Amino acid sequence: MAAVALLMLAAAAAAMKTHDLTNQSDAAAKLIARRNNMTCQEMNRQRVDGMKDDLDQSHGFDAMFYRGCLKFVKANGDGKHGAAEQTEKLGAACKKGTFDGTNSVLTKVDPSKLAAECDRAVHQMDIQLNILGEDSFKTDEDFCAVFVDLVLPIDEEPECMRFVEDVSHEHLKYAGVPHHWPRIVYEKHFDEAFMTVCLEDKKLDEEEDGRETMFGAGAEECRLILERIMAAKWGHYKRLSSFFAVACPVMGLPLPDPSGKTFDPMAGTKRAMAVQMFHRASHVVLAKHGNTSETAKLFASKRKPFSALQLVHELDDLETSVSAKSPRRRRLNENQRSCCSGKAYNWELGVAAGASITVSGSVSLAAGGFNGWQDKTCYFKTANVKEVCLNWDFGFDMDGPLEVEASVARGFFKSYNDMLGDSAYVGGSACFILCVGGSVITNLQGQYIGETVEFGFGLPGVDFEGGVCKCMPTGNTYERIFHNLQDHCPSGCFPEDATVETPDGKKKMHQLQVGDRVLAVNDAGEAFFDEIYFFGHADYKARSPMVQLQIQELGSNSSLELNLSPDHFLHKCPKLQPCLWKEAEAAYAASVPEEAYVWTASAGATELKLGRVLLNRMVPKQGLFNPYTLSGNIVVNGVAASTHSSWVLDHFVPEALTKYLPATYQSIFVVGRWIYSVFGARAADVIGVNNPQEQTPWSAYAVALSSIFVASSPVVVAVFLKSRSGKP
């Protein structure tokens, strides 16, 4: 049960307070008995109330930050915002150096690390929101109590503490419930969680040393450490400090210097006590091995520790220093992205057999997704499912009357519940060694509920098919709740009031249609008028936060303003200095730093000009419009941008390779450009990718995925012909 444990830190704090669990008093035993009769919600409520009581009675630095948090929340909230939105506001203020809602500047911390620390605090708070539930954050006091008690790094946090905490959080994503150390070592998915965190840690080490590296570097070292952990005999430890005195050296992670800092005697938060536990682990190591040069290596950390106490001194140039750094993007996980897309999905392995009338069965490799919005909160469900279908088909193929087929299908549904139960479908497929097909799915009342795209192998031919199916879960169904997710969903779009140049003058985004010609940029860096062939989004009702860039053209006193979604790609110079168009690289709008150089263009001038980014900030905007041109580029508000934004690959690609994604997506969309060249603008209306769009254009996914078939078919055909010729 998620509420039984507030992650490793809560367990650490409890262990430090009791020390020896075998000597509990009668009062503590009665308290435990009373808690055993509580619901998860009641236990969470009691935990948060206890945090508030402790902080109200505290007079140390933790009390100072608690009061500062309350001052900020009350100054920036109106009582209508949920805890998740308040967390984002707190993170944004943290990056700017303002914490209490006034002009006080928080630092003496390295400005280059401040954004990362703020992102970490936001991430930690999001985890607490998922564990404790929205009902535990009824008041500003609830929010700040959890933030200060469990999240804010009031004391300098040792590397080993942060590492094991990250492993606990990563494991929580796999297991669904938190597990304590050392028991977590024996839980399912521990190896996956450990490797993920270890590889991220190695990447961070390289970046802090000034070397850019891809995720995956240091894999061999991480595997060796994991093997040592799994091979170790972890006995029963009455104190977690004794456990980590052994575990941290085994993992190669430094403990704090035992001759180091003294603690604030007033500090009473669980996070502060967890830090003290790791300091006690240092003293255990020192007592066991003595004060030798080899022992000293166990306390040698090359990373400068971070503490919120470092933020209480004013430093006038902090905001300038921070603004020159690239803001770090918070990536959504796959489940959150599914919620944002407003669809459920499944991957299926299917087998069909019969003559004209066939019976097919399939096993789901993955089934789950979006199941509904309540305000801005998304409900996500997942389960294992199976499906049985009665099918009919007719066509022209070479496999004769008896058909035996195997295929892999990807299904897109309006919601998870739509995936289950009885349904009907009609569709078709085409084969030439590789097969690609698709179908439209309805319920038995004829209402549209989804579509599928299917891949497989077979003899040449074309088939048209249909049938009725029944889909059932084969085990437990799991539900996740993502609070206030809607405001953080990525969308690669421009607002409705963004303008483009056309041969007939300026037009706003909401006025454009497929087939219109707009100012764009070709590969040579020349401005020209290009055609729009589809819209990724065209929704004038949507309202979302966007990045606003203020850009000054070189040699001019005029400035341009560009608003676009944080995950939309923009062309910029690789370094904070002027460059040529051929040297440009793509970057997410949110990660374009101030002082970066981008390109501007205007109608009637073929040459581009360089512009310097003066300001990068977030603003609310109306409308989501994403027109795609044949070249993959577009000039919006006088600034050259890509038409591409985050899509299916961004979550899996290391950040160092994101600059190649627009070119990759441009290649994938080749089928869409071919359809437009043959059928013109009318095809966009049929597929559902013109302006406006009333619903998600499911057919566009089929068009995009069929590009894989088009790209791979020539290779497969060549291999097939060579095998038929009998020549090596």
Side-chain angles (χ1 to χ4, degrees):
M1 182 168 24
V4 175
L6 295 178
L7 305 178
M8 182 276 297
L9 292 178
M16 288 186 299
K17 287 181 176 178
T18 56
H19 294 297
D20 188 349
L21 298 178
T22 61
N23 296 321
Q24 296 186 38
S25 64
D26 291 338
K30 292 178 181 178
L31 176 63
I32 291 175
R34 190 163 64 250
R35 286 182 175 177
N36 287 338
N37 295 322
M38 289 182 178
T39 65
C40 290
Q41 185 175 346
E42 289 171 338
M43 291 180 66
N44 290 340
R45 181 70 264 167
Q46 187 181 70
R47 289 175 185 276
V48 175
D49 288 340
M51 296 177 199
K52 289 193 296 184
D53 291 341
D54 290 342
L55 288 166
D56 283 335
Q57 299 171 19
S58 175
H59 300 283
F61 283 112
D62 46 7
M64 181 190 73
F65 281 104
Y66 179 58
R67 291 191 295 270
C69 176
L70 286 174
K71 188 175 181 181
F72 171 86
V73 172
K74 292 182 184 301
N76 291 273
D78 56 9
K80 299 179 181 179
H81 297 100
E85 185 170 349
Q86 201 64 266
T87 300
E88 291 293 330
K89 285 189 173 185
L90 198 62
C94 175
K95 290 182 181 181
K96 293 180 180 178
T98 56
F99 183 79
D100 62 356
T102 67
N103 294 323
S104 68
V105 181
L106 308 172
T107 112
K108 275 228 173 161
V109 64
D110 182 357
S112 67
K113 296 182 180 180
L114 182 58
E117 292 295 338
C118 295
D119 279 345
R120 182 183 178 89
V122 170
H123 177 64
Q124 303 273 53
M125 198 64 182
D126 285 342
I127 291 172
Q128 297 304 329
L129 287 173
N130 284 331
I131 292 176
L132 294 170
E134 194 74 17
D135 289 339
S136 297
F137 295 85
K138 295 291 188 183
T139 66
D140 296 341
E141 287 76 10
D142 294 341
F143 175 89
C144 288
V146 175
F147 179 75
V148 174
D149 198 61
L150 296 175
V151 173
L152 188 70
I154 293 176
D155 296 291
E156 295 177 354
E157 299 177 353
E159 273 188 63
C160 189
M161 170 180 163
R162 288 197 163 202
F163 185 90
V164 299
E165 184 178 57
D166 289 344
V167 172
S168 298
H169 292 163
E170 189 66 23
H171 188 261
L172 176 63
K173 295 178 184 177
Y174 290 106
V177 293
H179 291 282
H180 304 297
W181 291 75
R183 178 173 175 77
I184 191 175
V185 175
Y186 306 105
E187 295 292 336
K188 187 179 180 182
H189 299 303
F190 171 79
D191 53 348
E192 299 164 71
F194 180 90
M195 287 297 293
T196 299
V197 174
C198 185
L199 292 173
E200 288 282 1
D201 206 56
K202 298 299 180 188
K203 185 175 186 294
L204 181 61
D205 281 340
E206 293 294 311
E207 289 174 347
E208 289 192 348
D209 288 339
R211 295 187 295 270
E212 186 173 342
T213 185
M214 291 176 55
F215 178 84
E220 189 59 32
E221 183 178 353
C222 289
R223 278 193 291 268
L224 290 174
I225 295 173
L226 178 61
E227 289 175 6
R228 289 203 300 268
I229 295 173
M230 303 304 289
K233 303 296 184 183
W234 303 112
H236 176 69
Y237 291 89
K238 293 183 178 179
R239 299 181 181 182
L240 279 175
S241 56
S242 300
F243 165 71
F244 284 117
V246 178
C248 291
V250 168
M251 291 187 285
L253 295 167
L255 287 162
D257 187 345
S259 61
K261 58 169 286 187
T262 57
F263 290 91
D264 171 22
M266 301 291 186
T269 64
K270 294 179 178 63
R271 203 162 191 84
M273 289 189 290
V275 174
Q276 293 187 46
M277 179 191 68
F278 279 86
H279 273 264
R280 280 203 295 276
S282 296
H283 287 282
V284 172
V285 171
L286 187 64
K288 183 176 181 180
H289 299 287
N291 191 6
T292 67
S293 58
E294 288 300 313
T295 306
K297 293 179 181 179
L298 301 177
F299 313 125
S301 175
K302 67 178 182 179
R303 295 184 190 171
K304 183 180 178 181
F306 176 88
S307 168
L309 294 178
Q310 298 169 338
L311 303 179
V312 298
H313 301 288
E314 293 194 357
L315 187 64
D316 293 336
D317 61 350
L318 172 68
E319 291 205 32
T320 302
S321 302
V322 173
S323 66
K325 305 295 175 182
S326 298
R328 295 180 58 165
R329 250 179 7 106
R330 291 180 60 223
R331 290 190 172 188
L332 302 182
N333 61 41
E334 186 177 355
N335 294 344
Q336 291 169 324
R337 291 176 69 87
S338 174
C339 268
C340 287
S341 69
K343 66 176 182 291
Y345 59 86
N346 68 345
W347 279 105
E348 291 185 345
L349 286 175
V351 177
S356 297
I357 302 296
T358 63
V359 175
S360 66
S362 64
V363 177
S364 174
L365 299 178
F370 167 78
N371 200 48
W373 289 103
Q374 183 174 340
D375 295 326
K376 297 181 179 180
T377 295
C378 179
Y379 290 83
F380 177 96
K381 285 188 177 182
T382 184
N384 293 322
V385 301
K386 64 180 179 180
E387 186 176 55
V388 178
C389 297
L390 180 65
N391 320 282
W392 57 262
D393 76 272
F394 67 89
F396 313 95
D397 50 45
M398 299 174 60
D399 55 4
L402 181 63
E403 296 186 11
V404 178
E405 297 179 354
S407 62
V408 178
R410 173 70 159 172
F412 303 89
F413 296 84
K414 293 174 66 176
S415 72
Y416 173 83
N417 286 343
D418 286 324
M419 187 188 308
L420 303 178
D422 299 323
S423 62
Y425 77 93
V426 291
S429 63
C431 292
F432 189 88
I433 311 304
L434 278 178
C435 299
V436 62
S439 61
V440 175
I441 306 171
T442 66
N443 57 27
L444 296 187
Q445 289 73 45
Q447 297 171 320
Y448 168 87
I449 59 174
E451 297 183 10
T452 62
V453 179
E454 187 175 330
F455 299 94
F457 295 91
L459 294 175
V462 177
D463 279 305
F464 300 94
E465 58 188 9
V468 292
C469 301
K470 188 175 186 64
C471 182
M472 302 155 285
T474 59
N476 294 329
T477 299
Y478 300 96
E479 183 177 65
R480 294 288 306 278
I481 300 175
F482 299 111
H483 297 281
N484 292 321
L485 175 67
Q486 199 168 60
D487 286 339
H488 312 298
C489 290
S491 55
C493 304
F494 302 98
E496 66 171 351
D497 61 358
T499 60
V500 297
E501 294 277 0
T502 74
D504 300 321
K506 290 186 177 181
K507 282 188 177 183
K508 292 188 175 181
M509 279 288 165
H510 68 88
Q511 298 173 311
L512 294 175
Q513 293 284 301
V514 168
D516 285 351
R517 296 172 65 214
V518 296
L519 194 64
V521 181
N522 62 22
D523 291 339
E526 299 169 337
F528 76 111
F529 287 107
D530 198 6
E531 295 177 63
I532 297 172
Y533 70 99
F534 85 94
F535 278 80
H537 287 89
D539 183 1
Y540 69 92
K541 299 177 184 177
R543 184 174 176 84
S544 60
M546 290 193 176
V547 170
Q548 184 178 87
L549 299 174
Q550 297 286 347
I551 300 164
Q552 183 179 32
E553 287 185 319
L554 296 189
S556 171
N557 292 327
S558 63
S559 63
L560 302 171
E561 179 183 290
L562 176 65
N563 299 291
L564 70 173
S565 295
D567 280 7
H568 199 99
F569 287 105
L570 193 67
H571 306 290
K572 72 174 185 68
C573 289
K575 299 179 180 179
L576 300 181
Q577 60 189 35
C579 68
L580 301 175
W581 174 260
K582 64 180 181 181
E583 300 173 298
E585 64 179 26
Y588 296 112
S591 67
V592 175
E594 295 172 10
E595 306 300 326
Y597 287 89
V598 297
W599 282 268
T600 67
S602 58
T606 57
E607 292 187 1
L608 307 184
K609 294 182 180 180
L610 276 172
R612 186 164 58 91
V613 177
L614 302 178
L615 179 67
N616 182 323
R617 64 177 181 177
M618 297 294 293
V619 295
K621 297 295 290 185
Q622 183 78 30
L624 293 174
F625 293 86
N626 189 194
Y628 281 77
T629 62
L630 297 173
S631 64
N633 295 318
I634 189 170
V635 177
V636 180
N637 287 16
V639 181
S642 172
T643 58
H644 296 284
S645 56
S646 62
W647 196 42
V648 294
L649 299 178
D650 295 66
H651 183 67
F652 308 101
V653 171
E655 290 194 26
L657 299 181
T658 54
K659 58 187 176 183
Y660 301 113
L661 286 175
T664 303
Y665 293 148
Q666 182 71 358
S667 299
I668 289 177
F669 291 170
V670 62
V671 171
R673 295 194 294 277
W674 176 80
I675 291 175
Y676 175 77
S677 67
V678 174
F679 300 102
R682 187 174 180 180
D685 294 317
V686 174
I687 297 174
V689 291
N690 210 335
N691 178 18
Q693 289 175 14
E694 298 299 327
Q695 62 182 25
T696 302
W698 303 102
S699 300
Y701 287 96
V703 171
L705 291 173
S706 62
S707 299
I708 301 172
F709 169 74
V710 172
S712 59
S713 288
V715 177
V716 176
V717 169
V719 173
F720 173 73
L721 293 176
K722 180 173 284 189
S723 66
R724 297 280 292 180
S725 67
K727 295 179 181 180

